[in-house]
PDB file of all heavy atoms in Angstrom:
ATOM      1  N   ILE A   1       0.829  -1.210   0.021  1.00 96.00           N
ATOM      2  CA  ILE A   1       0.000  -0.003  -0.046  1.00 96.00           C
ATOM      3  C   ILE A   1       0.845   1.273   0.020  1.00 96.00           C
ATOM      4  O   ILE A   1       1.824   1.325   0.693  1.00 96.00           O
ATOM      5  CB  ILE A   1      -0.965   0.021   1.208  1.00 96.00           C
ATOM      6  CG1 ILE A   1      -1.993  -1.184   1.091  1.00 96.00           C
ATOM      7  CG2 ILE A   1      -1.719   1.336   1.322  1.00 96.00           C
ATOM      8  CD1 ILE A   1      -2.851  -1.303   2.355  1.00 96.00           C
ATOM      9  N   THR A   2       0.498   2.203  -0.841  1.00 95.00           N
ATOM     10  CA  THR A   2       1.311   3.461  -0.871  1.00 95.00           C
ATOM     11  C   THR A   2       0.351   4.696  -0.980  1.00 95.00           C
ATOM     12  O   THR A   2      -0.783   4.587  -1.491  1.00 95.00           O
ATOM     13  CB  THR A   2       2.226   3.429  -2.098  1.00 95.00           C
ATOM     14  OG1 THR A   2       2.957   4.664  -2.100  1.00 95.00           O
ATOM     15  CG2 THR A   2       1.456   3.446  -3.443  1.00 95.00           C
ATOM     16  N   GLY A   3       0.815   5.747  -0.370  1.00 95.00           N
ATOM     17  CA  GLY A   3      -0.066   7.015  -0.413  1.00 95.00           C
ATOM     18  C   GLY A   3      -1.212   6.864   0.613  1.00 95.00           C
ATOM     19  O   GLY A   3      -1.384   5.862   1.375  1.00 95.00           O
ATOM     20  N   PRO A   4      -2.080   7.978   0.561  1.00 97.00           N
ATOM     21  CA  PRO A   4      -3.168   8.024   1.484  1.00 97.00           C
ATOM     22  C   PRO A   4      -4.251   6.948   1.207  1.00 97.00           C
ATOM     23  O   PRO A   4      -4.362   6.513  -0.064  1.00 97.00           O
ATOM     24  CB  PRO A   4      -3.692   9.477   1.298  1.00 97.00           C
ATOM     25  CG  PRO A   4      -3.305   9.870  -0.034  1.00 97.00           C
ATOM     26  CD  PRO A   4      -1.969   9.093  -0.281  1.00 97.00           C
ATOM     27  N   VAL A   5      -5.041   6.608   2.225  1.00 98.00           N
ATOM     28  CA  VAL A   5      -6.154   5.668   2.036  1.00 98.00           C
ATOM     29  C   VAL A   5      -7.426   6.269   2.511  1.00 98.00           C
ATOM     30  O   VAL A   5      -7.364   7.252   3.217  1.00 98.00           O
ATOM     31  CB  VAL A   5      -5.856   4.394   2.862  1.00 98.00           C
ATOM     32  CG1 VAL A   5      -4.503   3.779   2.375  1.00 98.00           C
ATOM     33  CG2 VAL A   5      -5.849   4.565   4.379  1.00 98.00           C
ATOM     34  N   ALA A   6      -8.545   5.648   2.162  1.00 98.00           N
ATOM     35  CA  ALA A   6      -9.869   6.077   2.669  1.00 98.00           C
ATOM     36  C   ALA A   6     -10.492   4.826   3.361  1.00 98.00           C
ATOM     37  O   ALA A   6     -10.411   3.742   2.900  1.00 98.00           O
ATOM     38  CB  ALA A   6     -10.747   6.517   1.567  1.00 98.00           C
ATOM     39  N   ALA A   7     -11.127   5.094   4.485  1.00 98.00           N
ATOM     40  CA  ALA A   7     -11.784   3.999   5.237  1.00 98.00           C
ATOM     41  C   ALA A   7     -13.148   4.372   5.568  1.00 98.00           C
ATOM     42  O   ALA A   7     -13.511   5.459   6.056  1.00 98.00           O
ATOM     43  CB  ALA A   7     -10.981   3.916   6.574  1.00 98.00           C
ATOM     44  N   TYR A   8     -14.144   3.458   5.195  1.00 97.00           N
ATOM     45  CA  TYR A   8     -15.587   3.745   5.366  1.00 97.00           C
ATOM     46  C   TYR A   8     -16.233   2.649   6.182  1.00 97.00           C
ATOM     47  O   TYR A   8     -15.780   1.456   6.140  1.00 97.00           O
ATOM     48  CB  TYR A   8     -16.237   3.721   3.980  1.00 97.00           C
ATOM     49  CG  TYR A   8     -15.653   4.716   3.008  1.00 97.00           C
ATOM     50  CD1 TYR A   8     -14.881   4.322   1.938  1.00 97.00           C
ATOM     51  CD2 TYR A   8     -15.993   6.143   3.117  1.00 97.00           C
ATOM     52  CE1 TYR A   8     -14.335   5.284   1.021  1.00 97.00           C
ATOM     53  CE2 TYR A   8     -15.478   7.045   2.180  1.00 97.00           C
ATOM     54  CZ  TYR A   8     -14.637   6.592   1.217  1.00 97.00           C
ATOM     55  OH  TYR A   8     -14.102   7.498   0.276  1.00 97.00           O
ATOM     56  N   SER A   9     -17.250   2.986   6.931  1.00 96.00           N
ATOM     57  CA  SER A   9     -18.078   1.990   7.566  1.00 96.00           C
ATOM     58  C   SER A   9     -19.437   2.049   6.926  1.00 96.00           C
ATOM     59  O   SER A   9     -19.951   3.099   6.766  1.00 96.00           O
ATOM     60  CB  SER A   9     -18.105   2.153   9.053  1.00 96.00           C
ATOM     61  OG  SER A   9     -19.164   3.083   9.436  1.00 96.00           O
ATOM     62  N   VAL A  10     -20.027   0.919   6.607  1.00 95.00           N
ATOM     63  CA  VAL A  10     -21.317   0.830   5.912  1.00 95.00           C
ATOM     64  C   VAL A  10     -22.302   0.051   6.670  1.00 95.00           C
ATOM     65  O   VAL A  10     -21.979  -1.026   7.201  1.00 95.00           O
ATOM     66  CB  VAL A  10     -21.093   0.103   4.508  1.00 95.00           C
ATOM     67  CG1 VAL A  10     -22.406   0.032   3.781  1.00 95.00           C
ATOM     68  CG2 VAL A  10     -20.071   0.878   3.683  1.00 95.00           C
ATOM     69  N   PRO A  11     -23.523   0.572   6.869  1.00 92.00           N
ATOM     70  CA  PRO A  11     -24.500  -0.189   7.647  1.00 92.00           C
ATOM     71  C   PRO A  11     -24.793  -1.487   6.850  1.00 92.00           C
ATOM     72  O   PRO A  11     -25.042  -1.557   5.692  1.00 92.00           O
ATOM     73  CB  PRO A  11     -25.664   0.697   7.640  1.00 92.00           C
ATOM     74  CG  PRO A  11     -25.453   1.709   6.473  1.00 92.00           C
ATOM     75  CD  PRO A  11     -24.053   1.813   6.338  1.00 92.00           C
ATOM     76  N   ALA A  12     -24.758  -2.599   7.634  1.00 90.00           N
ATOM     77  CA  ALA A  12     -25.053  -3.897   7.114  1.00 90.00           C
ATOM     78  C   ALA A  12     -26.427  -4.536   7.405  1.00 90.00           C
ATOM     79  O   ALA A  12     -26.741  -5.628   6.985  1.00 90.00           O
ATOM     80  CB  ALA A  12     -23.966  -4.866   7.514  1.00 90.00           C
ATOM     81  N   SER A  13     -27.225  -3.745   8.144  1.00 83.00           N
ATOM     82  CA  SER A  13     -28.490  -4.295   8.608  1.00 83.00           C
ATOM     83  C   SER A  13     -29.638  -3.729   7.731  1.00 83.00           C
ATOM     84  O   SER A  13     -30.805  -3.885   8.042  1.00 83.00           O
ATOM     85  CB  SER A  13     -28.813  -3.845  10.032  1.00 83.00           C
ATOM     86  OG  SER A  13     -28.702  -2.498  10.225  1.00 83.00           O
ATOM     87  N   ILE A  14     -29.307  -3.142   6.575  1.00 83.00           N
ATOM     88  CA  ILE A  14     -30.359  -2.559   5.692  1.00 83.00           C
ATOM     89  C   ILE A  14     -30.616  -3.524   4.462  1.00 83.00           C
ATOM     90  O   ILE A  14     -31.251  -3.095   3.589  1.00 83.00           O
ATOM     91  CB  ILE A  14     -29.909  -1.142   5.192  1.00 83.00           C
ATOM     92  CG1 ILE A  14     -28.623  -1.237   4.455  1.00 83.00           C
ATOM     93  CG2 ILE A  14     -29.790  -0.176   6.348  1.00 83.00           C
ATOM     94  CD1 ILE A  14     -28.097   0.104   3.847  1.00 83.00           C
ATOM     95  N   GLY A  15     -30.032  -4.694   4.529  1.00 83.00           N
ATOM     96  CA  GLY A  15     -30.265  -5.616   3.411  1.00 83.00           C
ATOM     97  C   GLY A  15     -29.090  -5.736   2.500  1.00 83.00           C
ATOM     98  O   GLY A  15     -27.941  -5.348   2.794  1.00 83.00           O
ATOM     99  N   GLU A  16     -29.284  -6.304   1.362  1.00 89.00           N
ATOM    100  CA  GLU A  16     -28.248  -6.604   0.378  1.00 89.00           C
ATOM    101  C   GLU A  16     -27.673  -5.216  -0.168  1.00 89.00           C
ATOM    102  O   GLU A  16     -28.517  -4.292  -0.361  1.00 89.00           O
ATOM    103  CB  GLU A  16     -28.651  -7.498  -0.715  1.00 89.00           C
ATOM    104  CG  GLU A  16     -29.046  -8.895  -0.211  1.00 89.00           C
ATOM    105  CD  GLU A  16     -29.618  -9.774  -1.326  1.00 89.00           C
ATOM    106  OE1 GLU A  16     -30.438  -9.317  -2.171  1.00 89.00           O
ATOM    107  OE2 GLU A  16     -29.283 -10.991  -1.240  1.00 89.00           O
ATOM    108  N   LEU A  17     -26.471  -5.113  -0.507  1.00 92.00           N
ATOM    109  CA  LEU A  17     -25.878  -3.870  -0.838  1.00 92.00           C
ATOM    110  C   LEU A  17     -25.297  -3.830  -2.266  1.00 92.00           C
ATOM    111  O   LEU A  17     -24.644  -4.794  -2.651  1.00 92.00           O
ATOM    112  CB  LEU A  17     -24.785  -3.473   0.130  1.00 92.00           C
ATOM    113  CG  LEU A  17     -25.183  -3.498   1.676  1.00 92.00           C
ATOM    114  CD1 LEU A  17     -23.942  -3.350   2.477  1.00 92.00           C
ATOM    115  CD2 LEU A  17     -26.175  -2.351   2.004  1.00 92.00           C
ATOM    116  N   THR A  18     -25.597  -2.727  -2.975  1.00 93.00           N
ATOM    117  CA  THR A  18     -24.820  -2.417  -4.198  1.00 93.00           C
ATOM    118  C   THR A  18     -23.940  -1.226  -3.966  1.00 93.00           C
ATOM    119  O   THR A  18     -24.570  -0.180  -3.702  1.00 93.00           O
ATOM    120  CB  THR A  18     -25.823  -2.230  -5.380  1.00 93.00           C
ATOM    121  OG1 THR A  18     -26.424  -3.430  -5.562  1.00 93.00           O
ATOM    122  CG2 THR A  18     -25.022  -1.885  -6.603  1.00 93.00           C
ATOM    123  N   ILE A  19     -22.673  -1.337  -4.001  1.00 95.00           N
ATOM    124  CA  ILE A  19     -21.764  -0.245  -3.667  1.00 95.00           C
ATOM    125  C   ILE A  19     -21.010   0.159  -4.923  1.00 95.00           C
ATOM    126  O   ILE A  19     -20.290  -0.613  -5.523  1.00 95.00           O
ATOM    127  CB  ILE A  19     -20.831  -0.625  -2.544  1.00 95.00           C
ATOM    128  CG1 ILE A  19     -21.672  -1.052  -1.287  1.00 95.00           C
ATOM    129  CG2 ILE A  19     -19.873   0.631  -2.302  1.00 95.00           C
ATOM    130  CD1 ILE A  19     -20.666  -1.493  -0.163  1.00 95.00           C
ATOM    131  N   THR A  20     -21.170   1.454  -5.435  1.00 96.00           N
ATOM    132  CA  THR A  20     -20.480   1.970  -6.568  1.00 96.00           C
ATOM    133  C   THR A  20     -19.372   2.868  -6.176  1.00 96.00           C
ATOM    134  O   THR A  20     -19.547   3.886  -5.480  1.00 96.00           O
ATOM    135  CB  THR A  20     -21.451   2.758  -7.458  1.00 96.00           C
ATOM    136  OG1 THR A  20     -22.554   1.886  -7.875  1.00 96.00           O
ATOM    137  CG2 THR A  20     -20.752   3.209  -8.734  1.00 96.00           C
ATOM    138  N   LEU A  21     -18.117   2.496  -6.559  1.00 97.00           N
ATOM    139  CA  LEU A  21     -16.990   3.318  -6.253  1.00 97.00           C
ATOM    140  C   LEU A  21     -16.450   3.892  -7.486  1.00 97.00           C
ATOM    141  O   LEU A  21     -16.129   3.201  -8.466  1.00 97.00           O
ATOM    142  CB  LEU A  21     -15.861   2.424  -5.513  1.00 97.00           C
ATOM    143  CG  LEU A  21     -14.622   3.309  -5.267  1.00 97.00           C
ATOM    144  CD1 LEU A  21     -14.811   4.195  -4.077  1.00 97.00           C
ATOM    145  CD2 LEU A  21     -13.488   2.295  -4.819  1.00 97.00           C
ATOM    146  N   SER A  22     -16.281   5.268  -7.537  1.00 97.00           N
ATOM    147  CA  SER A  22     -15.723   5.976  -8.711  1.00 97.00           C
ATOM    148  C   SER A  22     -14.476   6.794  -8.256  1.00 97.00           C
ATOM    149  O   SER A  22     -14.414   7.320  -7.259  1.00 97.00           O
ATOM    150  CB  SER A  22     -16.767   6.854  -9.247  1.00 97.00           C
ATOM    151  OG  SER A  22     -18.001   6.175  -9.575  1.00 97.00           O
ATOM    152  N   SER A  23     -13.565   6.728  -9.164  1.00 97.00           N
ATOM    153  CA  SER A  23     -12.279   7.570  -9.068  1.00 97.00           C
ATOM    154  C   SER A  23     -12.163   8.455 -10.241  1.00 97.00           C
ATOM    155  O   SER A  23     -11.995   8.059 -11.361  1.00 97.00           O
ATOM    156  CB  SER A  23     -11.061   6.631  -8.895  1.00 97.00           C
ATOM    157  OG  SER A  23      -9.882   7.329  -8.801  1.00 97.00           O
ATOM    158  N   ILE A  24     -12.210   9.763  -9.969  1.00 96.00           N
ATOM    159  CA  ILE A  24     -12.256  10.810 -11.026  1.00 96.00           C
ATOM    160  C   ILE A  24     -10.934  11.078 -11.646  1.00 96.00           C
ATOM    161  O   ILE A  24      -9.929  11.240 -10.889  1.00 96.00           O
ATOM    162  CB  ILE A  24     -12.927  12.123 -10.580  1.00 96.00           C
ATOM    163  CG1 ILE A  24     -14.279  11.788  -9.846  1.00 96.00           C
ATOM    164  CG2 ILE A  24     -13.153  13.069 -11.691  1.00 96.00           C
ATOM    165  CD1 ILE A  24     -15.255  11.107 -10.735  1.00 96.00           C
ATOM    166  N   VAL A  25     -10.884  11.142 -12.902  1.00 95.00           N
ATOM    167  CA  VAL A  25      -9.598  11.532 -13.690  1.00 95.00           C
ATOM    168  C   VAL A  25      -9.425  13.084 -13.510  1.00 95.00           C
ATOM    169  O   VAL A  25     -10.241  13.737 -13.849  1.00 95.00           O
ATOM    170  CB  VAL A  25      -9.587  11.172 -15.138  1.00 95.00           C
ATOM    171  CG1 VAL A  25      -8.321  11.575 -15.826  1.00 95.00           C
ATOM    172  CG2 VAL A  25      -9.816   9.576 -15.187  1.00 95.00           C
ATOM    173  N   ASN A  26      -8.274  13.460 -13.057  1.00 93.00           N
ATOM    174  CA  ASN A  26      -7.978  14.865 -12.914  1.00 93.00           C
ATOM    175  C   ASN A  26      -6.802  15.190 -13.961  1.00 93.00           C
ATOM    176  O   ASN A  26      -5.624  14.881 -13.737  1.00 93.00           O
ATOM    177  CB  ASN A  26      -7.500  15.209 -11.480  1.00 93.00           C
ATOM    178  CG  ASN A  26      -7.211  16.644 -11.297  1.00 93.00           C
ATOM    179  OD1 ASN A  26      -7.566  17.467 -12.186  1.00 93.00           O
ATOM    180  ND2 ASN A  26      -6.527  17.060 -10.268  1.00 93.00           N
ATOM    181  N   LYS A  27      -7.222  15.749 -15.001  1.00 88.00           N
ATOM    182  CA  LYS A  27      -6.319  16.096 -16.136  1.00 88.00           C
ATOM    183  C   LYS A  27      -5.640  14.818 -16.677  1.00 88.00           C
ATOM    184  O   LYS A  27      -6.355  14.056 -17.331  1.00 88.00           O
ATOM    185  CB  LYS A  27      -5.235  17.127 -15.667  1.00 88.00           C
ATOM    186  CG  LYS A  27      -5.848  18.477 -15.359  1.00 88.00           C
ATOM    187  CD  LYS A  27      -4.758  19.465 -14.884  1.00 88.00           C
ATOM    188  CE  LYS A  27      -5.448  20.802 -14.503  1.00 88.00           C
ATOM    189  NZ  LYS A  27      -4.386  21.798 -14.034  1.00 88.00           N
ATOM    190  N   ASP A  28      -4.492  14.525 -16.305  1.00 91.00           N
ATOM    191  CA  ASP A  28      -3.817  13.358 -16.762  1.00 91.00           C
ATOM    192  C   ASP A  28      -3.389  12.444 -15.676  1.00 91.00           C
ATOM    193  O   ASP A  28      -2.504  11.602 -15.892  1.00 91.00           O
ATOM    194  CB  ASP A  28      -2.545  13.761 -17.680  1.00 91.00           C
ATOM    195  CG  ASP A  28      -1.518  14.421 -16.863  1.00 91.00           C
ATOM    196  OD1 ASP A  28      -1.888  14.878 -15.726  1.00 91.00           O
ATOM    197  OD2 ASP A  28      -0.387  14.604 -17.303  1.00 91.00           O
ATOM    198  N   THR A  29      -4.103  12.442 -14.600  1.00 96.00           N
ATOM    199  CA  THR A  29      -3.752  11.631 -13.434  1.00 96.00           C
ATOM    200  C   THR A  29      -5.103  10.989 -12.867  1.00 96.00           C
ATOM    201  O   THR A  29      -6.120  11.708 -12.815  1.00 96.00           O
ATOM    202  CB  THR A  29      -3.126  12.440 -12.323  1.00 96.00           C
ATOM    203  OG1 THR A  29      -1.925  13.121 -12.890  1.00 96.00           O
ATOM    204  CG2 THR A  29      -2.714  11.517 -11.192  1.00 96.00           C
ATOM    205  N   VAL A  30      -4.949   9.826 -12.378  1.00 97.00           N
ATOM    206  CA  VAL A  30      -6.139   9.133 -11.746  1.00 97.00           C
ATOM    207  C   VAL A  30      -5.632   8.266 -10.617  1.00 97.00           C
ATOM    208  O   VAL A  30      -4.573   7.646 -10.749  1.00 97.00           O
ATOM    209  CB  VAL A  30      -6.963   8.395 -12.732  1.00 97.00           C
ATOM    210  CG1 VAL A  30      -6.190   7.187 -13.414  1.00 97.00           C
ATOM    211  CG2 VAL A  30      -8.225   7.839 -12.240  1.00 97.00           C
ATOM    212  N   PHE A  31      -6.362   8.132  -9.564  1.00 98.00           N
ATOM    213  CA  PHE A  31      -6.163   7.240  -8.508  1.00 98.00           C
ATOM    214  C   PHE A  31      -6.747   5.885  -8.885  1.00 98.00           C
ATOM    215  O   PHE A  31      -7.979   5.687  -9.144  1.00 98.00           O
ATOM    216  CB  PHE A  31      -6.776   7.772  -7.203  1.00 98.00           C
ATOM    217  CG  PHE A  31      -6.635   6.902  -5.997  1.00 98.00           C
ATOM    218  CD1 PHE A  31      -5.529   6.931  -5.245  1.00 98.00           C
ATOM    219  CD2 PHE A  31      -7.679   6.060  -5.605  1.00 98.00           C
ATOM    220  CE1 PHE A  31      -5.307   6.150  -4.118  1.00 98.00           C
ATOM    221  CE2 PHE A  31      -7.489   5.213  -4.476  1.00 98.00           C
ATOM    222  CZ  PHE A  31      -6.317   5.327  -3.775  1.00 98.00           C
ATOM    223  N   ALA A  32      -5.919   4.850  -8.882  1.00 98.00           N
ATOM    224  CA  ALA A  32      -6.384   3.446  -9.235  1.00 98.00           C
ATOM    225  C   ALA A  32      -6.807   2.722  -7.919  1.00 98.00           C
ATOM    226  O   ALA A  32      -5.904   2.231  -7.157  1.00 98.00           O
ATOM    227  CB  ALA A  32      -5.258   2.694  -9.879  1.00 98.00           C
ATOM    228  N   PRO A  33      -8.024   2.600  -7.632  1.00 98.00           N
ATOM    229  CA  PRO A  33      -8.454   2.109  -6.287  1.00 98.00           C
ATOM    230  C   PRO A  33      -8.397   0.513  -6.224  1.00 98.00           C
ATOM    231  O   PRO A  33      -8.625  -0.135  -7.184  1.00 98.00           O
ATOM    232  CB  PRO A  33      -9.911   2.520  -6.174  1.00 98.00           C
ATOM    233  CG  PRO A  33     -10.353   2.634  -7.575  1.00 98.00           C
ATOM    234  CD  PRO A  33      -9.212   3.051  -8.446  1.00 98.00           C
ATOM    235  N   ASN A  34      -8.091   0.111  -4.984  1.00 97.00           N
ATOM    236  CA  ASN A  34      -8.258  -1.280  -4.576  1.00 97.00           C
ATOM    237  C   ASN A  34      -9.200  -1.261  -3.363  1.00 97.00           C
ATOM    238  O   ASN A  34      -9.109  -0.197  -2.646  1.00 97.00           O
ATOM    239  CB  ASN A  34      -7.016  -1.955  -4.169  1.00 97.00           C
ATOM    240  CG  ASN A  34      -5.973  -2.037  -5.272  1.00 97.00           C
ATOM    241  OD1 ASN A  34      -5.660  -3.060  -5.833  1.00 97.00           O
ATOM    242  ND2 ASN A  34      -5.326  -0.839  -5.616  1.00 97.00           N
ATOM    243  N   VAL A  35     -10.061  -2.199  -3.150  1.00 98.00           N
ATOM    244  CA  VAL A  35     -11.017  -2.200  -2.072  1.00 98.00           C
ATOM    245  C   VAL A  35     -10.931  -3.495  -1.291  1.00 98.00           C
ATOM    246  O   VAL A  35     -11.075  -4.614  -1.883  1.00 98.00           O
ATOM    247  CB  VAL A  35     -12.484  -1.896  -2.418  1.00 98.00           C
ATOM    248  CG1 VAL A  35     -13.376  -2.029  -1.242  1.00 98.00           C
ATOM    249  CG2 VAL A  35     -12.556  -0.590  -3.068  1.00 98.00           C
ATOM    250  N   LEU A  36     -10.593  -3.406   0.008  1.00 97.00           N
ATOM    251  CA  LEU A  36     -10.621  -4.566   0.868  1.00 97.00           C
ATOM    252  C   LEU A  36     -11.765  -4.493   1.818  1.00 97.00           C
ATOM    253  O   LEU A  36     -11.938  -3.503   2.529  1.00 97.00           O
ATOM    254  CB  LEU A  36      -9.241  -4.632   1.693  1.00 97.00           C
ATOM    255  CG  LEU A  36      -9.106  -5.937   2.471  1.00 97.00           C
ATOM    256  CD1 LEU A  36      -9.109  -7.168   1.601  1.00 97.00           C
ATOM    257  CD2 LEU A  36      -7.574  -5.853   3.142  1.00 97.00           C
ATOM    258  N   VAL A  37     -12.690  -5.466   1.815  1.00 97.00           N
ATOM    259  CA  VAL A  37     -13.867  -5.485   2.553  1.00 97.00           C
ATOM    260  C   VAL A  37     -13.734  -6.323   3.823  1.00 97.00           C
ATOM    261  O   VAL A  37     -13.191  -7.398   3.731  1.00 97.00           O
ATOM    262  CB  VAL A  37     -15.088  -6.049   1.713  1.00 97.00           C
ATOM    263  CG1 VAL A  37     -16.351  -5.963   2.592  1.00 97.00           C
ATOM    264  CG2 VAL A  37     -15.292  -5.244   0.499  1.00 97.00           C
ATOM    265  N   PHE A  38     -14.110  -5.760   4.993  1.00 96.00           N
ATOM    266  CA  PHE A  38     -13.996  -6.462   6.237  1.00 96.00           C
ATOM    267  C   PHE A  38     -15.461  -6.648   6.815  1.00 96.00           C
ATOM    268  O   PHE A  38     -16.318  -5.810   6.601  1.00 96.00           O
ATOM    269  CB  PHE A  38     -13.186  -5.645   7.336  1.00 96.00           C
ATOM    270  CG  PHE A  38     -11.770  -5.375   6.902  1.00 96.00           C
ATOM    271  CD1 PHE A  38     -11.486  -4.285   6.087  1.00 96.00           C
ATOM    272  CD2 PHE A  38     -10.793  -6.226   7.228  1.00 96.00           C
ATOM    273  CE1 PHE A  38     -10.199  -4.027   5.714  1.00 96.00           C
ATOM    274  CE2 PHE A  38      -9.417  -5.966   6.822  1.00 96.00           C
ATOM    275  CZ  PHE A  38      -9.158  -4.845   6.097  1.00 96.00           C
ATOM    276  N   ASP A  39     -15.642  -7.765   7.558  1.00 94.00           N
ATOM    277  CA  ASP A  39     -16.924  -7.944   8.252  1.00 94.00           C
ATOM    278  C   ASP A  39     -16.945  -7.120   9.572  1.00 94.00           C
ATOM    279  O   ASP A  39     -15.944  -6.392   9.829  1.00 94.00           O
ATOM    280  CB  ASP A  39     -17.174  -9.459   8.503  1.00 94.00           C
ATOM    281  CG  ASP A  39     -16.298 -10.024   9.475  1.00 94.00           C
ATOM    282  OD1 ASP A  39     -15.477  -9.408  10.153  1.00 94.00           O
ATOM    283  OD2 ASP A  39     -16.354 -11.358   9.708  1.00 94.00           O
ATOM    284  N   GLN A  40     -17.916  -7.329  10.420  1.00 92.00           N
ATOM    285  CA  GLN A  40     -18.046  -6.446  11.555  1.00 92.00           C
ATOM    286  C   GLN A  40     -16.985  -6.784  12.617  1.00 92.00           C
ATOM    287  O   GLN A  40     -16.696  -5.927  13.466  1.00 92.00           O
ATOM    288  CB  GLN A  40     -19.421  -6.701  12.278  1.00 92.00           C
ATOM    289  CG  GLN A  40     -19.658  -8.098  12.864  1.00 92.00           C
ATOM    290  CD  GLN A  40     -21.001  -8.171  13.467  1.00 92.00           C
ATOM    291  OE1 GLN A  40     -21.755  -7.333  13.446  1.00 92.00           O
ATOM    292  NE2 GLN A  40     -21.163  -9.316  14.220  1.00 92.00           N
ATOM    293  N   ASN A  41     -16.259  -7.863  12.477  1.00 92.00           N
ATOM    294  CA  ASN A  41     -15.168  -8.090  13.394  1.00 92.00           C
ATOM    295  C   ASN A  41     -13.758  -7.794  12.803  1.00 92.00           C
ATOM    296  O   ASN A  41     -12.710  -8.217  13.313  1.00 92.00           O
ATOM    297  CB  ASN A  41     -15.135  -9.621  13.806  1.00 92.00           C
ATOM    298  CG  ASN A  41     -16.472  -9.999  14.542  1.00 92.00           C
ATOM    299  OD1 ASN A  41     -16.885  -9.225  15.419  1.00 92.00           O
ATOM    300  ND2 ASN A  41     -17.036 -11.122  14.184  1.00 92.00           N
ATOM    301  N   MET A  42     -13.843  -7.053  11.695  1.00 94.00           N
ATOM    302  CA  MET A  42     -12.548  -6.718  10.946  1.00 94.00           C
ATOM    303  C   MET A  42     -11.879  -7.815  10.508  1.00 94.00           C
ATOM    304  O   MET A  42     -10.638  -7.803  10.371  1.00 94.00           O
ATOM    305  CB  MET A  42     -11.690  -5.744  11.888  1.00 94.00           C
ATOM    306  CG  MET A  42     -12.373  -4.456  12.425  1.00 94.00           C
ATOM    307  SD  MET A  42     -12.908  -3.464  11.014  1.00 94.00           S
ATOM    308  CE  MET A  42     -11.442  -2.985  10.231  1.00 94.00           C
ATOM    309  N   THR A  43     -12.572  -8.801  10.074  1.00 94.00           N
ATOM    310  CA  THR A  43     -11.896  -9.936   9.321  1.00 94.00           C
ATOM    311  C   THR A  43     -12.120  -9.763   7.894  1.00 94.00           C
ATOM    312  O   THR A  43     -13.167  -9.549   7.402  1.00 94.00           O
ATOM    313  CB  THR A  43     -12.629 -11.331   9.766  1.00 94.00           C
ATOM    314  OG1 THR A  43     -12.478 -11.444  11.192  1.00 94.00           O
ATOM    315  CG2 THR A  43     -11.899 -12.457   9.010  1.00 94.00           C
ATOM    316  N   PRO A  44     -10.965  -9.888   7.043  1.00 96.00           N
ATOM    317  CA  PRO A  44     -11.071  -9.649   5.574  1.00 96.00           C
ATOM    318  C   PRO A  44     -12.148 -10.691   4.985  1.00 96.00           C
ATOM    319  O   PRO A  44     -12.120 -11.814   5.328  1.00 96.00           O
ATOM    320  CB  PRO A  44      -9.644  -9.945   5.070  1.00 96.00           C
ATOM    321  CG  PRO A  44      -8.754  -9.692   6.265  1.00 96.00           C
ATOM    322  CD  PRO A  44      -9.674 -10.093   7.541  1.00 96.00           C
ATOM    323  N   ALA A  45     -12.946 -10.192   4.132  1.00 94.00           N
ATOM    324  CA  ALA A  45     -14.010 -11.013   3.522  1.00 94.00           C
ATOM    325  C   ALA A  45     -13.979 -10.919   2.055  1.00 94.00           C
ATOM    326  O   ALA A  45     -14.492 -11.949   1.399  1.00 94.00           O
ATOM    327  CB  ALA A  45     -15.436 -10.505   4.072  1.00 94.00           C
TER     328      ALA A  45
END
């Protein structure tokens, strides 16, 4: 992992989830995202 990261918590009791992640191109540069999902006990899922 390099550079800054973003960390989100998502409610899981609202049913099945569709999560859209977008990374905007700024001129000639773009952040290439990777996403690691954890369950409520912070276990990678």
Side-chain angles (χ1 to χ4, degrees):
I1 295 176
T2 184
V5 303
Y8 303 104
S9 86
V10 179
S13 57
I14 58 176
E16 298 177 320
L17 305 172
T18 296
I19 302 177
T20 303
L21 177 70
S22 304
S23 178
I24 308 302
V25 177
N26 182 13
K27 296 181 180 179
D28 61 349
T29 305
V30 66
F31 177 85
N34 298 252
V35 176
L36 189 54
V37 181
F38 300 88
D39 69 7
Q40 68 176 8
N41 296 320
M42 297 306 292
T43 301

